[in-house]
């Protein structure tokens, strides 16, 4: 199979590229603009392989996207490129509208033109896989409810609204133009190569630096966590075996309150890298003013992908979190330069957060 991965220099996209390019039977083209979130260092293990190519381009540039599909004779497009940080979408929604909505429109247009040029088996094989989030479904109460593929969309943030818009466009291109699309909506990912503005890497690295560990509100918001390599495995199944027109929810059945995630990281670090003063890293936790429009809880029912495509995650939250912490302890070559350049704040939340009242 010949894959075009957009956003392949990002957190999840790089896991997908590493997984697919690890099999010599695949050819992988990574198309990425290299925004602040894109990092070619995440692809160090594959960038010399003969079955991997990199194209630096903006998905809003339809001509270049079309040329990549044609020139590399693509079978499957996996569209991950996006602006992905909710806090940044609150401070500056424009880039989210541009990349996540207009960019997806350009991707769909290019894919439609390319698909219409295909014949025979090549045409039967073609898929446009749109990678989306559970945040499109909106807010769940703390004590009940779970997102299925039929849950109505009710996004709360500029980020989730932009992803919801792009999901609707993808379905419309299927219904209107017959483009063979598949969609997947996944819960929060964590794992190696995660940009240190997101909760788990931010907390690990702030702790190692003896800095405050910011937690929104009372820390009661619940997210359903999935190890990134388990997501990459699920995405490969959806892209290659998913039924055209269908969507698949992906989640690790690992609901945790934010405060418990942060406390869990502190407990593991207390054992693996005790503080010089003998205190617990938990003493560094600081509650900060809640994010506006902060959804209380997300929870995914992943029974469809388990049943129809035979996917099961390999990590529990506990094993995945320990593996993630080990990775950050051993890979300063990757995160050190980013921390130096970006600073130590939870980036993009500067207007939204402050000391807890
Ligand atoms: N991170 C999560 O927990 C999560 C969960 C569910 C779904 N998703 C979705 O998965 C996808 C990937 O998320 P991520 O966390 O890896 O994001 P990321 O921010 O780590 O990476 C995004 C990548 O897209 C690239 N990019 C951004 N704008 C671009 C443009 N205009 N043209 C080309 N490339 C561009 C960036 O350079 C970067 O490499 C997104 O679509 C996101 O909505 C993420």
């Amino acid at each position: 199979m010949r894959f075009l991965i957009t956003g392949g220099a990002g957190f999840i996209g790089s896991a997908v590229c590493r997984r697919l390019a690890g099999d010599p039977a695949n050819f992988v083209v990574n198309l990425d603009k290299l925004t602040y979130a894109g990092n070619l260092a995440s692809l160090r293990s594959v960038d010399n392989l003969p079955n991997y190519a990199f194209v630096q381009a903006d998905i809003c540039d339809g001509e270049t996207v079309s040329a990549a599909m044609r020139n590399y004779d693509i079978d499957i497009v996996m569209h991950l490129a996006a602006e992905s940080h909710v806090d940044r979408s609150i401070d500056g929604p424009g880039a989210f509208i541009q990349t996540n909505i207009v960019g997806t429109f350009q991707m769909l247009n290019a894919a439609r033109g390319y698909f219409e040029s295909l014949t025979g088996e090549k045409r039967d094989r073609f898929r446009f896989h749109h990678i989306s989030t559970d945040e499109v479904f909106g807010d769940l109460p703390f004590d009940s409810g779970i997102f299925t593929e039929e849950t109505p969309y009710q996004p709360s943030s500029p980020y989730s609204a932009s992803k919801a818009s792009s999901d609707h466009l993808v379905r419309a291109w299927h219904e209107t133009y017959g483009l063979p699309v598949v969609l997947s909506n996944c819960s929060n990912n964590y794992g190696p190569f995660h940009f240190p503005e997101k909760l788990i890497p931010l907390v690990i690295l702030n702790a190692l630096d003896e800095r405050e560990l910011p937690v929104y509100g009372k820390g009661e918001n619940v997210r359903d966590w999935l190890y990134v390599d388990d997501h990459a495995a699920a995405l490969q199944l959806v892209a290659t075996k998913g039924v055209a027109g269908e969507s698949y929810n992906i989640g690790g059945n690992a609901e945790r309150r934010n405060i418990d995630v942060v406390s869990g990281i502190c407990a593991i670090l207390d054992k693996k890298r005790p503080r010089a003063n003998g205190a617990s890293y938990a003493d560094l936790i600081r509650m900060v003013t809640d994010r506006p429009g902060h959804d209380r809880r997300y929870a995914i029912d992943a029974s469809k992908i388990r049943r129809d495509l035979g996917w099961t995650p390999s990590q529990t939250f506990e094993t995945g979190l320990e593996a993630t912490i080990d990775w950050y302890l051993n890979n300063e070559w990757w995160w050190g330069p980013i921390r130096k350049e970006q600073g130590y704040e939870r980036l993009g939340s500067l207007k939204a957060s402050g000391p807890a009242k």
Side-chain angles (χ1 to χ4, degrees), residues 6-13 31-39 57-60 79-84 99 131-134 159 163 186-189 194-195 198 231:
T6 71
F11 170 46
I12 301 169
L31 185 146
D32 197 295
K33 182 180 176 180
L34 297 182
T35 68
Y36 81 94
N39 188 350
D58 189 329
I59 55 164
C60 297
H79 175 39
L80 294 101
E83 288 291 338
S84 71
T99 287
I131 284 78
S132 191
T133 165
D134 60 355
Y159 164 67
K163 291 297 292 187
C186 187
S187 58
N188 276 44
N189 284 214
H194 203 182
F195 193 80
K198 304 279 172 79
H231 188 196

Side-chain angles (χ1 to χ4, degrees), residues 318-331:
E318 284 63 36
T319 60
L321 189 60
E322 188 160 350
T324 303
I325 290 173
D326 284 340
W327 187 86
Y328 279 92
L329 289 174
N330 294 323
N331 288 283

Side-chain angles (χ1 to χ4, degrees), residues 27-324:
F27 190 87
V28 176
V29 182
N30 170 11
L31 185 146
D32 197 295
K33 182 180 176 180
L34 297 182
T35 68
Y36 81 94
N39 188 350
L40 292 178
S42 308
L43 296 149
R44 203 167 73 167
S45 62
V46 296
D47 62 10
N48 280 326
L49 296 178
N51 64 336
Y52 171 83
F54 175 64
V55 177
Q56 184 169 3
D58 189 329
I59 55 164
C60 297
D61 173 0
E63 291 284 304
T64 303
V65 171
S66 294
M69 290 181 195
R70 277 195 315 273
N71 295 344
Y72 287 103
D73 201 18
I74 293 300
D75 295 307
I76 294 180
V77 176
M78 296 175 76
H79 175 39
L80 294 101
E83 288 291 338
S84 71
H85 191 32
V86 177
D87 291 336
R88 286 180 186 262
S89 83
I90 295 168
D91 286 348
F96 289 71
I97 306 304
Q98 191 59 27
T99 287
N100 299 1
I101 306 178
V102 178
T104 300
F105 159 70
Q106 292 292 357
M107 288 297 304
L108 287 164
N109 249 356
R112 180 184 163 209
Y114 175 68
F115 173 65
E116 285 173 357
S117 74
L118 300 177
T119 53
E121 272 182 18
K122 188 92 184 158
R123 188 180 169 88
D124 296 341
R125 233 182 1 241
F126 184 79
R127 288 285 182 279
F128 183 94
H129 178 188
H130 179 64
I131 284 78
S132 191
T133 165
D134 60 355
E135 301 197 24
V136 298
F137 300 122
D139 183 46
L140 282 174
F142 282 123
D143 52 359
S144 62
I146 192 156
F147 299 136
T148 71
E149 285 79 4
E150 278 71 49
T151 302
Y153 279 28
Q154 208 166 0
S156 306
S157 71
Y159 164 67
S160 53
S162 70
K163 291 297 292 187
S165 307
S166 64
D167 291 13
H168 290 320
L169 289 176
V170 172
R171 289 200 175 88
W173 258 244
H174 176 68
E175 298 297 333
T176 308
Y177 305 114
L179 189 69
V181 306
V182 279
L183 290 91
S184 55
N185 294 82
C186 187
S187 58
N188 276 44
N189 284 214
Y190 68 100
F193 301 101
H194 203 182
F195 193 80
E197 66 181 349
K198 304 279 172 79
L199 181 70
I200 288 180
L202 182 89
V203 166
I204 297 170
L205 299 183
N206 274 16
L208 295 177
D209 278 338
E210 293 284 330
R211 288 173 185 270
E212 291 189 350
L213 312 179
V215 178
Y216 279 133
K218 294 184 179 149
E220 286 172 347
N221 300 63
V222 173
R223 298 293 178 262
D224 186 353
W225 294 92
L226 181 66
Y227 193 66
V228 66
D229 290 338
D230 283 329
H231 188 196
L235 293 178
Q236 182 176 8
L237 280 173
V238 172
T240 55
K241 305 229 166 18
V243 175
E246 294 282 317
S247 72
Y248 298 85
N249 279 0
I250 308 171
N253 198 19
E255 286 184 54
R256 296 288 184 281
R257 297 187 313 163
N258 284 346
I259 187 66
D260 296 330
V261 171
V262 175
S263 306
I265 294 170
C266 292
I268 295 173
L269 282 176
D270 284 341
K271 284 199 205 111
K272 289 187 185 278
R273 186 69 66 87
R275 291 175 74 187
N277 65 7
S280 169
Y281 286 101
D283 293 351
L284 297 169
I285 295 174
R286 292 289 174 273
M287 300 318 212
V288 299
T289 306
D290 210 352
R291 165 198 281 168
H294 200 179
D295 291 331
R296 283 167 293 178
R297 177 172 159 258
Y298 303 137
I300 277 273
D301 175 353
S303 51
K304 179 176 173 182
I305 186 171
R306 285 172 179 262
R307 187 187 60 238
D308 292 2
L309 303 182
W311 173 78
T312 41
S314 65
Q315 300 277 3
T316 64
F317 184 67
E318 284 63 36
T319 60
L321 189 60
E322 188 160 350
T324 303

